[in-house]
Every structure is written in C-alpha cells, then in structure tokens.
C-alpha cells in the first residue's frame, strides 16, 4: 500500500503552473480516496507523434505529469499512433495533412526517448492508442459515434469558425475528439492533462466515460508557453523555440535572452521551484542572477548539472567578460525616440519607476550602433545584438529607464542612458 502526502500538500504542488482544473473539488475527492486506499490515481497525458522533436513548450504539460508521478501516482504517457493518422484539428483553419504510418512510427520512437528527460522511465507507463483501436470494428465505431451529436461537435470553436466561413471540415476530423476521448475510457483515467487548447477534447473524454459507465476524469490544463519573443506561442516554425536537444550553450543563451518579466513565467512552468520560493526570488534576487539560475536549471534538466555549469561559464566568458571594455562610451537617447508609445510618460515623470517597452531597432539607431532602424532589425534577426550581455532576439524589450544599460552590436558597444522628454 502506497503512502501519499496530505491532500492539501498534493493540491498545492499540482496547482502550481496549472491553468484550470475541472473540477478541483473532484480532484480533491479523488486524492482523498486514493490516499485512504493507498491506491495511486491513473493520470493520462496523450501526444500525437506529429513532429520528431520536442521543445520546452511541450514540456510544460509533461512536467505536470511528472508532478503527479513525484506524488506517487501512475503516470501514463499515451502516444497517439492512431489519432496521429487523423490529425488533431485544434487551432487549424484547414484540414491537417495526414502522416504516413512510417512517419508516425519514427516520430513515436523519438518521443519515447525524449519524454524520459522529464519523466522517470522506471515509473512511467508508455502506451499506444492503436493497441485498442486496431481491434475496433465498424460496430464499435458506430456505437462510439452514437454517444455524441454533430451539434455538440460544432460547438468546438475551430469547427464552428470553419463552418461559419464555409471552409471544409473532413468527416475524419469530426471523429478526432471522440477517438481521443475514448482513450480515457480504454485507460480508465482518473485525471487527464493537456494544454488549454485541448480543453474541448479533454471534456469529451469526461462525457464519454460517463456514457460508458465510468466515473468522469478530472481535467487539468496547463498554459501555452510563450516563446523567446514573449508574445507568440513557442513554435519551431516561428523561430522562437528552445528545443530540448539543443546543445547546452545554445539552450543557456536562449534562456538568457528572454525578458526579466517572462523569466518568472518560465520559472513557474518549466521548473519545480515552488511559488513561495519564486516570490522570494522576485523580492530579493538580482534579475541577472535569477535568470542565470533559471538557465542552469533548464540546461541541467535536459543535459546534466556539469553541462549546465560549463554552459554558464562559456556564456559569461563570451558575453560578459570579454566584450565590454572598461572605458565604454556612454550615449543618451530620448524616451520619445525609442519607446513603443508614450504611455503618458512625458507628462508623468513618476511613471519612470516602471518598466517601459523599448523598440530595440530604434535604440540601436539612436545610439549610433547601426545606421538605420531597418539595419537594426536585420542585426536582431542575425542574433548580433546584446543588451546587458543577453542576446536580444526580439524587437521590443521591457526595461527601466532609471539606469543605463550596455548595448552591443558585434564588437561595437555603447552604454545607453534613456532620458525623459
């Protein structure tokens, strides 16, 4: 019989980095029953093997599965080798091209290797939904489809939008939520995890479990992680992602390039640091040191503690020690020339105590580091720009104008002070 932590302690750990729990009262009841019986909950996370490589955005929900695993519950990582052939319509304005069986099998093998960067391989159940769907008969599919109505499916935002815009919806796409939902029936899941964009599919699982005579699973969603630009969702196609197989120095440098504000969101979603400790760091730690610790933790998770330490040394040697001369030239620019918008700052000097959004291309041009705004944009895209030693990969960054900061483009370096109007 397993020994579980007190329920309140478990809930605190599980709620960290969660977007929504449907319903929290049900999760509490399941945890209490589990603890009383000494029986772990069955916690399911499904992913279709539609891409061969995972990035940090994928690991947000994987880490939540790890949290259940840390508490002694059964972590089930389900590879959707059947659903992957349908293609998840979530967030799609057109039908997703189906993958071949060979592509799915190849991607599935890489997934198995990658998830163990987060999960304990000795305690994780790996399953494939082809295991039960390969045995499904036409009768079984008819019975499954009879559990749901077309109007219910069209309530889904993606389908509703495409239907309203008279864009085609293939019949096999309508099957996807039902097939994913049936996975929870086949696994008798107590809890299912997913990103906020998966909420509709996860709720279908709850309803299908009831229709098949089971208790409804709890749905726990996690936020969608923003990429290096701090705006759009992390995606390799957008060029704002950190892949979990990237070399340590590249991974470390990309983490150091995020804004100070975004750093705390990464702490919450990509580490096991407790909220109380994160709040303490916000009050007491220097942002640069806190960001270095974040980079060390992330690189350590996917490589090793030794690799993370070496990446930190290499990054400091490359971006902090050698490239900033002692007799650095200081230049002054006006806030109206570099701020994204005035925000009333010109007439309210007391507002300078807060961070303001600064256009990096304008900052480079006004400080004489580049000849024009367009050249500044090009240098940012070339990853040639650094601010206070951190690579700058976005066009806007948040900074206080109370203190100057070191800006470099290649070997050209200036200390820039932003002045009020």
């Amino acid at each position: 019989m397993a020994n579980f932590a007190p329920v309140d302690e478990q809930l605190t750990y599980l709620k960290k980095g969660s977007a929504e729990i449907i319903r929290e009262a049900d999760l509490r009841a399941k945890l209490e029953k589990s603890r009383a019986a000494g029986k772990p909950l069955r916690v399911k996370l499904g992913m279709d093997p539609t891409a061969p490589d995972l990035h940090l955005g994928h690991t947000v929900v994987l880490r939540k599965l790890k949290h259940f695993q840390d508490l002694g519950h059964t972590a089930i990582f389900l590879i959707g080798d059947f659903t992957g052939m349908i293609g998840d319509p979530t967030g799609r304005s057109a039908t997703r091209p189906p993958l071949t069986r060979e592509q799915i099998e190849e991607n599935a093998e890489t997934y198995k290797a990658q998830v163990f960067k987060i999960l304990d391989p000795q305690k994780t159940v790996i399953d494939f939904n082809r295991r039960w769907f390969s045995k499904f008969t036409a009768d079984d599919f008819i019975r499954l489809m009879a559990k749901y109505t077309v109007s219910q499916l069209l309530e889904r935002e993606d389908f509703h939008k495409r239907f309203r815009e008279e864009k085609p919806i293939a019949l096999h796409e309508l099957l996807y939520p039902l097939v994913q939902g049936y996975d929870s029936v086949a696994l008798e899941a107590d809890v299912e995890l997913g990103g906020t964009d998966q909420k509709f599919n996860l709720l279908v699982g709850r309803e299908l479990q009831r229709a098949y005579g089971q208790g409804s699973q709890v749905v726990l969603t996690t936020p969608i992680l923003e990429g290096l630009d701090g705006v759009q969702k992390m995606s390799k196609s957008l060029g704002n992602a950190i892949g979990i197989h990237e070399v340590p120095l590249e991974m470390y440098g990309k983490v150091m390039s995020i804004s100070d504000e975004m750093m705390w969101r990464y702490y919450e979603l990509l580490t096991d640091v407790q909220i109380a400790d994160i709040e303490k760091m916000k009050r007491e730690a220097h942002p640069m040191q806190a960001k270095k610790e974040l980079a060390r933790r992330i690189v350590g998770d996917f490589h090793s503690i030794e690799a993370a330490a070496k990446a930190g040394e290499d990054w400091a040697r490359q971006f902090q020690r050698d490239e900033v001369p002692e007799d650095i030239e200081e230049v002054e620019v006006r806030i109206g020339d570099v701020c994204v918008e005035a925000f009333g700052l010109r007439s309210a000097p007391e507002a300078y105590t807060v961070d303001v959004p600064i256009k990096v291309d304008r900052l480079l041009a006004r400080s004489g580091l580049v000849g024009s705004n367009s050249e500044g944009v090009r240098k940012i895209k070339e990853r040639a720009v650094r601010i206070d030693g951190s690579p700058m990969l976005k066009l806007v960054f948040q900074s206080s104008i109370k203190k100057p900061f070191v800006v470099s483009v290649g070997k050209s370096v200036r200390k820039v002070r932003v002045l009020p109007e």
Side-chain angles (χ1 to χ4, degrees), residues 253-290:
K254 284 186 175 182
V255 175
M256 294 302 297
S257 75
I258 65 175
S259 68
D260 291 351
E261 181 183 7
M262 186 57 57
M263 165 178 66
W264 302 117
R265 184 162 172 82
Y266 276 40
Y267 257 113
E268 182 177 354
L269 299 181
L270 298 176
T271 78
D272 295 332
V273 180
Q274 295 298 305
I275 291 294
D277 295 326
I278 294 174
E279 292 300 322
K280 183 178 180 182
M281 279 194 289
K282 286 183 182 179
R283 294 190 303 269
E284 301 176 4
H286 188 283
M288 176 62 78
Q289 292 306 316

Side-chain angles (χ1 to χ4, degrees), residues 248-257 288 292 311-325 328 382-393 406-411 413:
L249 180 57
E250 182 77 6
M251 184 179 285
Y252 191 101
K254 284 186 175 182
V255 175
M256 294 302 297
S257 75
M288 176 62 78
K292 286 181 177 179
E313 284 293 315
D314 291 344
W315 182 88
R317 188 179 302 111
Q318 184 175 353
F319 296 118
Q320 288 188 301
R321 298 173 188 168
D322 294 345
E323 295 191 7
V324 181
I328 186 171
E382 292 172 356
R383 301 191 177 190
V385 180
R386 302 179 190 88
I387 295 181
D388 283 339
S390 298
M392 186 57 53
L393 305 179
V406 175
V407 183
S408 64
V409 180
K411 295 296 182 181
V413 187

Side-chain angles (χ1 to χ4, degrees), residues 71-72 348:
L71 294 169

Side-chain angles (χ1 to χ4, degrees), residues 230-248:
V231 179
Q232 299 191 76
K233 124 183 204 184
M234 185 173 285
S235 166
K236 288 194 174 182
S237 63
L238 295 175
N240 65 357
I242 305 176
I244 68 171
H245 276 323
E246 292 186 16
V247 297

Side-chain angles (χ1 to χ4, degrees), residues 202-406:
L202 306 183
L203 292 176
V204 172
R206 278 173 62 88
E207 294 191 37
L208 287 181
Q209 282 181 310
R210 286 195 293 270
Y212 279 89
Q214 296 180 9
S216 292
Q217 65 187 10
V218 169
V219 165
L220 188 154
T221 61
T222 56
I224 304 300
L225 182 70
E226 297 83 0
L228 298 175
D229 54 10
V231 179
Q232 299 191 76
K233 124 183 204 184
M234 185 173 285
S235 166
K236 288 194 174 182
S237 63
L238 295 175
N240 65 357
I242 305 176
I244 68 171
H245 276 323
E246 292 186 16
V247 297
L249 180 57
E250 182 77 6
M251 184 179 285
Y252 191 101
K254 284 186 175 182
V255 175
M256 294 302 297
S257 75
I258 65 175
S259 68
D260 291 351
E261 181 183 7
M262 186 57 57
M263 165 178 66
W264 302 117
R265 184 162 172 82
Y266 276 40
Y267 257 113
E268 182 177 354
L269 299 181
L270 298 176
T271 78
D272 295 332
V273 180
Q274 295 298 305
I275 291 294
D277 295 326
I278 294 174
E279 292 300 322
K280 183 178 180 182
M281 279 194 289
K282 286 183 182 179
R283 294 190 303 269
E284 301 176 4
H286 188 283
M288 176 62 78
Q289 292 306 316
K291 197 176 295 184
K292 286 181 177 179
E293 173 63 16
L294 173 65
R296 185 195 65 77
R297 284 177 175 273
I298 290 175
V299 175
D301 279 345
F302 297 102
H303 293 282
S304 68
I305 295 174
E306 294 76 19
K310 185 176 187 305
E313 284 293 315
D314 291 344
W315 182 88
R317 188 179 302 111
Q318 184 175 353
F319 296 118
Q320 288 188 301
R321 298 173 188 168
D322 294 345
E323 295 191 7
V324 181
E326 293 182 359
D327 57 346
I328 186 171
E329 177 184 355
E330 182 170 324
V331 296
E332 297 176 346
V333 299
R334 295 287 175 180
I335 191 170
D337 292 332
V338 297
C339 190
V340 172
E341 53 182 298
F343 288 109
L345 294 177
R346 299 180 187 183
S347 59
E350 67 276 6
Y352 299 153
T353 57
V354 301
D355 286 355
V356 295
I358 293 175
K359 287 274 285 183
V360 182
D361 55 333
R362 294 181 193 170
L363 182 70
L364 299 178
R366 300 306 184 276
S367 59
L369 287 163
V370 297
S372 64
N373 291 351
S374 59
E375 184 183 355
V377 172
R378 187 169 66 253
K379 291 297 184 182
I380 294 166
K381 291 181 178 178
E382 292 172 356
R383 301 191 177 190
V385 180
R386 302 179 190 88
I387 295 181
D388 283 339
S390 298
M392 186 57 53
L393 305 179
K394 49 190 179 297
L395 293 176
V396 178
F397 79 107
Q398 298 279 341
S399 180
S400 168
I401 67 167
K402 284 290 188 180
K403 57 184 181 180
F405 34 83
V406 175

Side-chain angles (χ1 to χ4, degrees), residues 44 78 82-83 129-137 140-141 143-145 147-148 175-189 192 201-209 211-214 217:
K44 163 203 170 192
L78 179 66
F82 183 84
T83 43
N129 59 11
R130 180 167 288 276
R131 180 168 68 85
W132 44 89
F133 281 118
S134 63
K135 302 172 186 174
F136 248 49
T137 65
D140 292 324
F141 270 110
R143 279 191 286 270
L144 173 60
M145 289 186 286
K147 308 291 185 186
Y148 228 70
L175 271 178
Y176 189 94
L178 298 179
V179 172
Q180 179 176 327
Y182 186 83
D183 290 340
S184 295
V185 176
L187 291 170
E188 299 184 3
E192 183 171 14
N201 291 343
L202 306 183
L203 292 176
V204 172
R206 278 173 62 88
E207 294 191 37
L208 287 181
Q209 282 181 310
Y212 279 89
Q214 296 180 9
Q217 65 187 10

